[in-house]
């Protein structure tokens, strides 16, 4: 037995796991394997380009000529009262899953902060 030195202490070596079929009965040690890294897959326009014989690589970030992305990310969010209220309500309902009956001041504050953060990030994108 190893000495108990904290919450995660155990007599099981860190490089093995014990498989149990019956409580109290352990089978042979099973080595723990590391998950393999994920590979990028092609989809959408990049897949069509590759199948047509074009370049085989997909950019990791949108290119500057991606006008749809640029139009969305580089447009300023309206600053009128109705839009700000809708943003706060959207964060209360979608981000924090609150209903009118379950809203408290802490979540109202956080929803307001997230709305301000959205506007700050949107204006920051306008500087690029």
């Amino acid at each position: 037995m190893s000495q108990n030195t904290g919450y995660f202490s155990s007599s099981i070596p860190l490089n093995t796991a014990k498989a149990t079929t019956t409580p109290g009965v352990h089978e042979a040690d099973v080595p723990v394997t590391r998950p393999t890294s994920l590979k990028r897959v092609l989809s959408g326009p990049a897949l069509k380009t590759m199948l047509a014989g074009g370049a085989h690589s997909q950019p990791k970030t949108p290119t500057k000529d991606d006008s749809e992305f640029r139009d969305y990310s580089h447009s300023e969010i309206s600053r009128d009262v109705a839009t700000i209220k809708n943003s706060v309500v959207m964060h209360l309902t979608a981000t924090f899953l609150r209903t009118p009956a379950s809203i408290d001041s802490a979540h109202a504050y956080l929803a307001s902060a997230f709305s301000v953060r959205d506007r700050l990030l949107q204006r920051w994108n306008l500087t690029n």
Side-chain angles (χ1 to χ4, degrees):
M1 288 297 272
S2 65
Q3 183 180 5
N4 187 356
T5 59
Y7 182 78
F8 292 105
S9 296
S10 173
S11 59
I12 299 173
L14 294 177
N15 62 349
T16 61
K18 300 244 183 211
T20 304
T21 54
T22 310
V25 177
H26 295 285
E27 295 178 7
D29 288 346
V30 179
V32 175
T33 59
R34 293 193 179 272
T36 58
S37 62
L38 298 176
K39 295 180 182 176
R40 282 185 69 79
V41 295
L42 294 176
S43 63
L47 179 62
K48 290 177 185 175
T49 302
M50 186 193 80
L51 293 176
H56 296 293
S57 65
Q58 182 179 6
K60 292 185 178 183
T61 59
T63 57
K64 293 204 182 249
D65 60 334
D66 189 356
S67 62
E68 186 177 343
F69 173 78
R70 188 161 186 82
D71 290 344
Y72 175 76
S73 67
H74 286 73
S75 60
E76 190 169 353
I77 300 173
S78 176
R79 289 189 251 175
D80 61 298
V81 174
T83 305
I84 294 171
K85 282 182 183 179
N86 286 339
S87 179
V88 171
V89 169
M90 185 276 305
H91 278 294
L92 280 169
T93 57
T95 306
F96 301 113
L97 302 173
R98 295 291 169 187
T99 61
S102 65
I103 295 172
D104 58 1
S105 61
H107 285 100
Y109 174 81
L110 287 172
S112 301
F114 274 57
S115 296
V116 170
R117 181 211 56 187
D118 293 346
R119 279 157 180 71
L120 285 171
L121 290 176
Q122 200 73 5
R123 291 186 71 170
W124 187 15
N125 281 338
L126 290 173
T127 63
N128 293 331

